[in-house]
Every structure is written in C-alpha cells, then in structure tokens.
C-alpha cells in the first residue's frame, strides 16, 4: 500500500499525517510506503513548520527530517491512495487527473466530508489538528486492513 498525504503548503497538515502514519505502520510491521506533498510550491525542500515539529515531538513522533514536495501528476501512478486535507486540495488535485482510475484514488483524509483545518495562521490549532490527524491515521490503517477504504 502506498499512501500520499496532500495539503496546500506541505509544511503543516500533510507532514503531520505522513510522519504519524509512517510511525504507526512501522510499529505494526506493515510494509507500506507513506509520503506527502503540497498543491502549492512555495515551501519545496523546506522542513515542516516548527510548531508542527514541536507538537509531533510532544506526542512521540519525529517529523523533523521530512522535506516539502510539490504535488505532480506522476503521483497518480506512484500512489494507491491520495488523501487530501480539505476540499480545495481535492479540487486542485482532481484538476490534474485525467484518467478515472486516478480520480478514484483521491479522497478526503477525514470521513463524512470533513476537512482538516489549516493551522498555519493560528498557533492554537496545531494541537487539535495533530490529535485529529493521529486518531484518523489509526482508523485509516484499520479501514485499509479490512478493505473498507
Ligand atoms: P498546510 O498549511 O497546507 O497545512 O501546509 C499551509 C502552509 C503554508 C501556507 C498555507 C497553508 N502558505 O500560504 O504558505
């Protein structure tokens, strides 16, 4: 299983999702590939936001070595699931998809049409966003193992 987490800048939400998911799959002995990318290109090669690195560290995850990447259409072939943090990300990714089988790989990270709020302009959001991402990563692993996602 190859999963790509996508947000706008690839420095706040999707690096948290990448780091937490990779940590959890390694812990469970699953041979899955986890990565992330942003639909925007401003932060390419930069580490995750310091506030994200800090909140992840507080809960036992190290995301400090990850570097931002820009989403590109080759990712449709490279990954099995492309999990986007909000509806704008979804639009921006789907706009680059041509094949139906590529569009089918794209889905919101949260269930029930919920979006992960962007914490970039609000320091107080990092902890609730982190906790929401961590809980959902655990669910996603179970859903993929039971083939319901
Ligand atoms: P992210 O947050 O999409 O969760 O990484 C953002 C990071 C940077 C910017 C916007 C959102 N920005 O405009 O630079």
């Amino acid at each position: 299983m190859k999963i790509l987490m996508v947000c706008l800048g690839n420095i706040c939400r999707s690096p948290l999702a990448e780091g937490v998911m990779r940590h959890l799959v390694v812990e469970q002995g699953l041979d899955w590939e986890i990565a992330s990318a942003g639909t925007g290109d401003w932060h390419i090669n930069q580490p995750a936001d310091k506030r994200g690195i800090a909140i992840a560290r507080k809960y036992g995850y190290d995301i400090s070595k990850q570097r931002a990447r820009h989403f590109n259409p080759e990712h449709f072939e490279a990954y099995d699931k492309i999990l986007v943090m909000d509806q704008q990300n979804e639009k921006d990714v789907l706009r680059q998809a041509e094949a139906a089988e590529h569009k089918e790989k794209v889905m919101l990270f949260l269930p029930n049409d919920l979006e992960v709020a962007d914490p970039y302009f609000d320091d107080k959001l990092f902890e609730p966003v982190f906790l929401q991402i961590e809980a959902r990563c655990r669910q996603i692993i179970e859903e993929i193992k039971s083939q319901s996602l």
Side-chain angles (χ1 to χ4, degrees):
M1 176 58 58
K2 297 181 181 180
I3 303 174
L4 182 69
M5 307 293 190
V6 174
C7 63
L8 175 58
N10 195 212
I11 56 169
C12 297
R13 294 164 292 176
S14 60
L16 287 171
E18 175 190 347
V20 168
M21 186 63 106
R22 183 180 301 108
H23 182 108
L24 295 175
V25 302
V26 167
E27 206 169 70
Q28 296 200 23
L30 297 166
D31 186 20
W32 293 3
E33 184 180 320
I34 315 295
S36 68
T39 57
D41 62 3
W42 315 285
H43 301 288
I44 293 173
N45 289 328
Q46 291 177 14
D49 189 288
K50 287 190 184 70
R51 297 165 295 177
I53 293 175
I55 203 70
R57 184 174 294 130
K58 174 176 169 184
Y59 288 92
Y61 301 90
D62 179 10
I63 66 164
S64 66
K65 293 178 191 67
Q66 298 170 200
R67 294 294 178 268
R69 305 189 308 156
H70 192 203
F71 179 80
N72 82 72
E74 288 176 11
H75 292 151
F76 289 117
E77 279 298 312
Y79 297 97
D80 303 309
K81 293 189 188 297
I82 297 173
L83 302 181
V84 296
M85 297 294 142
D86 64 35
Q87 288 172 4
Q88 186 62 50
N89 307 149
E90 188 175 36
K91 273 188 207 148
D92 291 338
V93 168
L94 285 175
R95 197 188 310 120
Q96 302 179 59
E98 284 167 12
E101 71 205 61
H102 291 168
K103 292 183 182 157
E104 283 165 12
K105 295 181 177 187
V106 182
M107 59 201 87
L108 284 168
F109 175 82
L110 291 178
N112 306 321
D113 282 339
L114 291 170
E115 303 182 291
V116 181
D118 190 343
Y120 188 59
F121 294 107
D122 187 351
D123 295 350
K124 292 190 303 296
L125 280 180
F126 273 87
E127 189 150 28
V129 159
F130 169 84
L131 291 170
Q132 188 177 42
I133 286 173
E134 188 192 36
R136 181 60 184 148
C137 282
R138 293 183 190 280
Q139 281 180 351
I140 288 170
I141 293 173
E142 292 313 309
E143 290 178 15
I144 290 175
K145 287 201 299 196
S146 67
Q147 298 190 334
S148 59
L149 186 78

